Amino acid sequence: MGCSSSSTKTRKSETSLKAALIIQNWYRGYKARLKARQHYALTIFQSIEYADEQGQMQLSTFFSFMFENYAHVHKEELELRKQSLESEQDMRDRHDYVDLIDVPDSYNGPRLQFPLTCTDIDLLLEAFKEQQILHAHYVLEVLFETKKVLKQMPNFTHVQTSPSKELTICGDLHGKLDDLFMIFYKNGLPSENNPYVFNGDFVDRGKNSIEILMILCVSFLVYPNDLHLNRGNHEDFMMNLRYGFTKEILHKYKLHGKRILQILEELYAWLPIGTIVDNEILVIHGGISETTDLNLLHHVERNKMKSVLIPPTETNRDYDTDSKHNKVGVTFNAHGRIKTNGSPIEHLPKHEWEQIIDILWSDPRGKNGCFPNTGRGGGCYFGPDVTSKILNKYQLKMLIRSHECKPEGYEICHDGKVVTIFSASNYYEEGSNRGAYIKLCSGTAPRFFQYQVTKATCFQPLRQRVYTMESSAIKILKERVISRKSDLTRAFQLQDHRKSGKLSLSQWAFCMENILGLNLPWRSLSSNLVNIDKNGNVEYMSSFQNIHIEKPVQEAHSTLVETLYRYRSDLEIIFNAIDTDHSGLISVEEFRAMWKLFSAHYNVLIDDSQVNKLANLMDLNKDGSIDFNEFLKAFYVVHRYEDLMKPGVTNLG
Amino acid sequence: MIHKDKERIIVAEFHKKIKEAFEVFDHESNNTVDVREIGTIIRSLGCCPTEGELHDLIAEVEEEEPTGYIRFEKFLPVMTEILLERRYRPIPEDVLLRAFEVLDSAKRGFLTKDELIKYMTEEGEPFSQEEMEEMLSAAIDPESNSIHYKDYITMMVIDEN
């Protein structure tokens, strides 16, 4: 009756309560594991990105080493270059750059009108939305004019805000045009009442670096007092060589690309170092160190800081322009080619160069103190105590910086004193992170705005997004693994005393971390990277399954192949440097000499006979020259069972 | 004696595993994580505490005066114990299936979207709106507006492996 039915009801509601609990519990566990996988993927992307940057910094010391040795060997060639370049120097006039290039009637892209107005900004935005390409004539004109105006700007721009004139600060864009469109859509175009600071790293990695640069430069020319550009570590022609901007320009501007690169090199060096807002907020790209001296930085000749890869050597400090001694200075030009100037090397003194490197490359960390930034190879890791010290020293309240990708687009640390702002959403992969910008107004707390661009009309479910990110991250990690196959195999075998082909998870993780130099959660990632037997032991050779490096030359020894694959970015830059006549070819002899230097400096153990053999093999038509770029392009990694996923970051430059 | 050695090795491995999972969320590299990430970390290590159990765990690892951050030194011993005692074991597939079947009193093989929402947001430890939306986005078959739970579970299990 009534009693029994109510007890059935209670029992029933009890069981459904229990059932609901089970499902909720299970779902929360599942969701948490998805989130953890997402974080692991992000960690992989970040580690590899910073390891690459470290590689770039290493290249810098190699170049110093190379100059000392190489310059002696090829002095005559350098003399010849010197002559042709001196005349090049004279031609650095507007006339050469711009007026010699005609815009044909058939061109139906945007036509800018100087002096520029906000109409030109709209014109550019519309055109780039239609994926049009701005004619080289206008690109050069804009860059030239921008450089002219930048020259008049101080190292630090001082900006004041007010309730009717809030300042918007954007971080890294890295060639992601959709993000810039999103920011303008949400926050309005730049104008006298809508000022912006773009805090560096406008270019590299994304595929629209030149379009972003054009929009920013044109906006700057229209509103020079309300559109502020700070230099980032990627506003550096040597970085552009490795990270894609140089390629983008040479691809989009086949005829005039080299000229564009030349003027870019100079423009970068004239970009201001930072912005100071309301006398209390410092906005710079990277960070600070315990020796950061803002007074010194206010006065350095910033245009002498050409590239992070051209460090001052001992001789640079010597400003004697003693032409009688025929001092030949050696530097790089826009596409990394060695050139000489008759004049003394125009470099900063070492301590000033280091001050700027710290500003462009440092990262904040939780640990007190100031340590070399071993992740990136340049700048430092600075702790909350350093932040307090420096901010107090100059009576500042906050540091706003960029330089690091954050999942939410921004991050606050050091007790609210340091803010990281990053504006390229989906930086590593679709779904990896949001982008953000800050609005500042004196007297009120900073406001943060986030966004995430997506090609789809609505977000994919979380599991799909995580899967995409994870696959992409694992793929690039596997490429690292295969590039160290010989070293890894040796390390594994050393640990495998019983020659069983198996190691404990701990031993495997130890080898991976040591050889690859990547601080990753190897145990958590192991199921994605190797086969594990039912006892929890790792079949270590399965680390290399389903992936191999395609050899352009069959007879090449596998270790050599791996080494060439691993260093191909570096080698590309180096060989471009040696190729003094821009022919794309280097002689077999140059190849050998180059390789000797490289292997000595990088401690690469490949014996000479192998290298000689390879050199001869690469000289396919036996005419004594090697098309090195073609050769390097041929080294790529083949993934067996390639899924229908789109390519990840490895394809960007 | 051998047993003690073995235990020491197991504990050492657990320590490394826990450290790895912790570090991934330690954004400032100062051996602390935001307290809101603790649930994710514990679950990523294969444990399935309920919200209530998680609440108690957090109280155990928090500072006396909660700072919003959990330190690794406090987290490690607690988490090691959990792993050693095999606490909060994940839910087996068949138990999960039975739970759905209980809610599906008419034994149709599916739950409607509205039914799922009702159970998940009104019973047990209710879902937040975000959690509900996320579960729906992957679970609901848009044509029938329902969740065929057997297929759903199979898909999730494949995902996790």
Side-chain angles (χ1 to χ4, degrees):
Chain A
M1 267 202 4
C3 282
S4 65
S5 70
S6 82
S7 77
T8 327
K9 238 189 184 171
T10 332
R11 236 184 310 137
K12 196 165 181 225
S13 64
E14 250 182 57
T15 33
S16 58
L17 169 72
K18 275 210 189 106
L21 266 172
I22 287 172
I23 297 172
Q24 286 156 345
N25 185 345
W26 163 83
Y27 183 77
R28 285 183 170 119
Y30 165 77
K31 187 178 154 200
R33 282 185 289 280
L34 269 185
K35 276 218 140 153
R37 280 164 64 189
Q38 193 177 34
H39 269 85
Y40 293 148
L42 265 173
T43 307
I44 293 175
F45 284 128
Q46 240 160 20
S47 297
I48 291 183
E49 176 182 21
Y50 298 160
D52 268 350
E53 289 188 345
Q54 202 188 95
Q56 186 75 346
M57 291 300 250
Q58 252 188 2
L59 201 56
S60 145
T61 47
F62 173 72
F63 279 135
S64 313
F65 171 79
M66 193 173 85
F67 289 143
E68 290 157 33
N69 297 280
Y70 187 73
H72 297 317
V73 173
H74 292 262
K75 210 152 145 228
E76 321 81 48
E77 271 186 52
L78 292 179
E79 287 296 323
L80 280 170
R81 287 284 297 152
K82 181 182 155 195
Q83 282 168 25
S84 68
L85 275 156
E86 266 169 4
S87 47
E88 249 185 70
Q89 290 235 351
D90 295 327
M91 290 204 301
R92 300 289 184 88
D93 242 354
R94 181 207 168 80
H95 299 293
D96 177 50
Y97 280 114
V98 182
D99 295 347
L100 287 180
I101 303 175
D102 273 330
V103 185
D105 289 335
S106 58
Y107 169 74
N108 53 12
R111 288 169 187 264
L112 303 175
Q113 284 206 312
F114 286 77
L116 298 170
T117 61
C118 53
T119 318
D120 296 290
I121 302 179
D122 291 329
L123 203 63
L124 267 192
L125 289 171
E126 283 314 306
F128 291 154
K129 281 193 183 124
E130 305 293 315
Q131 293 171 19
Q132 291 175 343
I133 294 187
L134 183 65
H135 196 277
H137 171 103
Y138 296 115
V139 173
L140 289 166
E141 193 161 9
V142 167
L143 291 177
F144 187 83
E145 290 298 318
T146 304
K147 180 187 133 186
K148 236 168 66 175
V149 180
L150 281 176
K151 265 175 144 170
Q152 327 215 334
M153 299 280 167
N155 291 347
F156 287 87
T157 322
H158 289 256
V159 180
Q160 308 296 324
T161 65
S162 68
S164 58
K165 194 170 173 176
E166 289 187 306
L167 178 67
T168 306
I169 306 195
C170 300
D172 296 25
L173 284 168
H174 279 304
K176 318 276 263 56
L177 191 54
D178 285 340
D179 287 282
L180 185 57
F181 286 154
M182 175 69 91
I183 295 170
F184 284 163
Y185 174 73
K186 281 173 74 103
N187 196 52
L189 294 178
S191 70
E192 296 99 345
N193 292 320
N194 195 17
Y196 277 86
V197 174
F198 286 92
N199 201 18
D201 280 11
F202 325 123
V203 300
D204 274 337
R205 297 178 178 271
K207 54 186 179 62
N208 293 103
S209 297
I210 189 65
E211 283 76 30
I212 291 204
L213 194 61
M214 281 297 106
I215 294 171
L216 294 181
C217 288
V218 167
S219 306
F220 170 71
L221 288 171
V222 178
Y223 302 109
N225 298 317
D226 296 300
L227 190 311
H228 310 281
L229 301 171
N230 292 341
R231 191 176 188 183
N233 64 315
H234 278 261
E235 274 71 54
D236 178 327
F237 67 89
M238 293 297 256
M239 295 293 277
N240 296 163
L241 277 167
R242 182 191 275 261
Y243 290 101
F245 189 27
T246 309
K247 279 201 184 103
E248 181 187 325
I249 291 183
L250 292 175
H251 176 75
K252 284 177 179 166
Y253 297 99
K254 294 188 166 63
L255 204 48
H256 301 291
K258 292 189 178 160
R259 270 192 217 167
I260 295 177
L261 290 171
Q262 271 175 331
I263 189 169
L264 258 179
E265 181 199 340
E266 293 166 37
L267 186 149
Y268 284 154
W270 279 112
L271 285 167
I273 296 174
T275 316
I276 298 180
V277 184
D278 296 329
N279 289 325
E280 53 182 29
I281 301 179
L282 177 62
V283 186
I284 46 177
H285 177 73
I288 51 178
S289 80
E290 59 187 355
T291 53
T292 292
D293 183 345
L294 281 185
N295 291 323
L296 181 146
L297 283 165
H298 263 83
H299 296 112
V300 297
E301 292 177 83
R302 68 179 192 269
N303 61 304
K304 289 187 178 174
M305 173 67 163
K306 295 293 181 200
S307 164
V308 69
L309 282 194
I310 306 177
T313 57
E314 286 309 308
T315 50
N316 289 354
R317 281 203 263 168
D318 186 357
Y319 279 131
D320 286 346
T321 61
D322 203 349
S323 52
K324 281 188 281 198
H325 290 249
N326 230 347
K327 226 179 199 172
V328 173
V330 181
T331 58
F332 274 110
N333 73 354
H335 5 358
R337 303 203 192 288
I338 300 176
K339 68 175 185 187
T340 63
N341 344 325
S343 49
I345 301 170
E346 294 259 314
H347 278 295
L348 290 173
K350 187 162 191 255
H351 67 287
E352 289 182 6
W353 186 86
E354 277 169 357
Q355 287 270 334
I356 300 186
I357 291 285
D358 285 340
I359 296 287
L360 298 180
W361 285 77
S362 300
D363 294 310
R365 285 292 178 266
K367 203 164 128 180
N368 273 335
C370 191
F371 308 93
N373 190 325
T374 47
R376 299 191 197 256
C380 67
Y381 289 132
F382 61 98
D385 55 338
V386 175
T387 301
S388 295
K389 176 177 154 201
I390 300 292
L391 289 182
N392 286 337
K393 187 172 173 190
Y394 299 103
Q395 284 127 33
L396 297 167
K397 292 216 180 102
M398 190 192 286
L399 170 64
I400 296 181
R401 44 87 66 175
S402 304
H403 197 42
E404 285 182 293
C405 175
K406 297 293 178 191
E408 292 301 312
Y410 73 95
E411 193 174 273
I412 306 176
C413 64
H414 291 192
D415 212 19
K417 298 206 183 108
V418 175
V419 173
T420 302
I421 187 77
F422 193 85
S423 301
S425 68
N426 304 328
Y427 178 58
Y428 292 118
E429 177 56 83
E430 185 77 26
S432 65
N433 65 290
R434 289 179 155 141
Y437 56 87
I438 309 176
K439 288 195 83 88
L440 291 180
C441 172
S442 63
T444 55
R447 294 182 296 146
F448 297 87
F449 293 82
Q450 297 165 295
Y451 53 85
Q452 196 162 9
V453 297
T454 176
K455 299 246 181 296
T457 46
C458 63
F459 274 126
Q460 291 178 316
L462 181 65
R463 59 180 283 271
Q464 193 56 42
R465 282 182 280 146
V466 172
Y467 179 73
T468 306
M469 258 186 83
E470 193 181 54
S471 311
S472 196
I474 296 293
K475 188 173 170 200
I476 59 174
L477 185 54
K478 277 191 165 156
E479 286 174 5
R480 289 272 144 152
V481 170
I482 199 75
S483 79
R484 303 301 300 262
K485 183 174 173 181
S486 304
D487 292 333
L488 279 169
T489 307
R490 214 176 307 135
F492 290 149
Q493 286 169 343
L494 263 168
Q495 298 258 335
D496 183 12
H497 304 299
R498 282 179 293 166
K499 308 264 171 271
S500 59
K502 298 195 188 183
L503 289 175
S504 72
L505 190 55
S506 208
Q507 287 170 310
W508 175 82
F510 175 79
C511 294
M512 294 293 272
E513 173 130 354
N514 266 313
I515 301 292
L516 294 175
L518 293 170
N519 181 11
L520 292 175
W522 294 106
R523 286 165 189 77
S524 312
L525 294 170
S526 58
S527 55
N528 286 311
L529 297 170
V530 272
N531 294 340
I532 303 181
D533 70 14
K534 50 181 163 43
N535 297 324
N537 290 321
V538 172
E539 295 163 15
Y540 52 80
M541 288 312 281
S542 65
S543 310
F544 313 114
Q545 72 191 359
N546 299 333
I547 179 169
H548 67 272
I549 302 174
E550 199 60 61
K551 297 192 272 207
V553 181
Q554 280 314 304
E555 294 84 348
H557 193 271
S558 60
T559 328
L560 180 57
V561 168
E562 267 171 48
T563 310
L564 282 169
Y565 175 74
R566 195 181 342 142
Y567 287 110
R568 59 208 237 281
S569 295
D570 299 297
L571 289 171
E572 208 172 328
I573 297 174
I574 294 169
F575 280 99
N576 268 302
I578 309 177
D579 181 19
T580 44
D581 58 2
H582 315 251
S583 60
L585 303 169
I586 58 169
S587 73
V588 174
E589 199 203 280
E590 278 172 322
F591 174 77
R592 281 208 199 91
M594 190 61 258
W595 189 263
K596 262 192 136 70
L597 284 175
F598 183 83
S599 54
H601 189 78
Y602 276 82
N603 260 325
V604 166
L605 301 164
I606 306 274
D607 65 67
D608 289 348
S609 65
Q610 275 187 58
V611 178
N612 288 332
K613 200 166 159 210
L614 183 66
N616 287 322
L617 287 169
M618 283 154 72
D619 178 12
L620 295 165
N621 51 5
K622 306 288 168 235
D623 66 350
S625 64
I626 304 166
D627 187 337
F628 201 78
N629 285 314
E630 284 305 310
F631 175 72
L632 276 182
K633 272 192 203 130
F635 279 100
Y636 57 95
V637 171
V638 175
H639 295 264
R640 223 183 300 161
Y641 314 129
E642 184 98 345
D643 13 323
L644 297 161
M645 198 194 64
K646 68 171 166 53
V649 290
T650 42
N651 285 10
L652 290 177
Chain B
M1 202 89 85
I2 299 170
H3 180 79
K4 258 228 156 119
D5 276 341
K6 217 179 177 190
E7 188 175 308
R8 223 177 300 153
I9 294 175
I10 293 176
V11 168
E13 263 307 296
F14 279 163
H15 280 181
K16 290 205 191 100
K17 218 175 151 195
I18 296 168
K19 185 159 190 282
E20 260 185 18
F22 192 88
E23 273 179 355
V24 162
F25 291 88
D26 177 11
H27 302 300
E28 287 191 47
S29 308
N30 58 354
N31 291 325
T32 67
V33 300
D34 191 317
V35 65
R36 292 165 292 185
E37 314 253 45
I38 284 291
T40 311
I41 297 175
I42 295 177
R43 285 165 173 145
S44 78
L45 288 163
C47 304
C48 283
T50 63
E51 291 290 280
E53 287 164 336
L54 187 59
H55 199 77
D56 295 335
L57 275 172
I58 291 179
E60 235 184 289
V61 295
E62 252 178 345
E63 305 296 313
E64 260 146 45
E65 304 246 347
T67 58
Y69 289 96
I70 305 295
R71 285 186 301 123
F72 183 64
E73 300 82 55
K74 280 204 116 168
F75 181 70
L76 183 64
V78 173
M79 194 66 225
T80 311
E81 272 303 296
I82 293 173
L83 289 180
L84 277 171
E85 292 173 13
R86 298 169 65 82
R87 253 190 277 162
Y88 315 128
R89 294 271 82 205
I91 295 160
E93 205 180 316
D94 55 340
V95 171
L96 186 59
L97 181 59
R98 243 178 299 151
F100 274 105
E101 285 171 348
V102 160
L103 298 180
D104 177 20
S105 45
K107 308 280 171 260
R108 300 155 296 177
F110 65 85
L111 288 172
T112 68
K113 180 175 167 188
D114 289 333
E115 283 171 342
L116 184 67
I117 293 177
K118 174 164 157 282
Y119 283 122
M120 295 293 103
T121 57
E122 289 176 23
E123 303 255 16
E125 290 174 330
F127 273 171
S128 67
Q129 196 189 1
E130 198 199 324
E131 285 173 315
M132 192 70 251
E133 273 169 18
E134 253 169 36
M135 184 180 186
L136 289 173
S137 71
I140 294 288
D141 164 30
E143 278 177 38
S144 59
N145 229 18
S146 60
I147 164 175
H148 293 265
Y149 44 84
K150 203 149 190 238
D151 294 335
Y152 176 62
I153 293 173
T154 314
M155 179 175 79
M156 295 289 119
V157 167
I158 293 176
D159 234 18
E160 295 252 65
N161 299 331

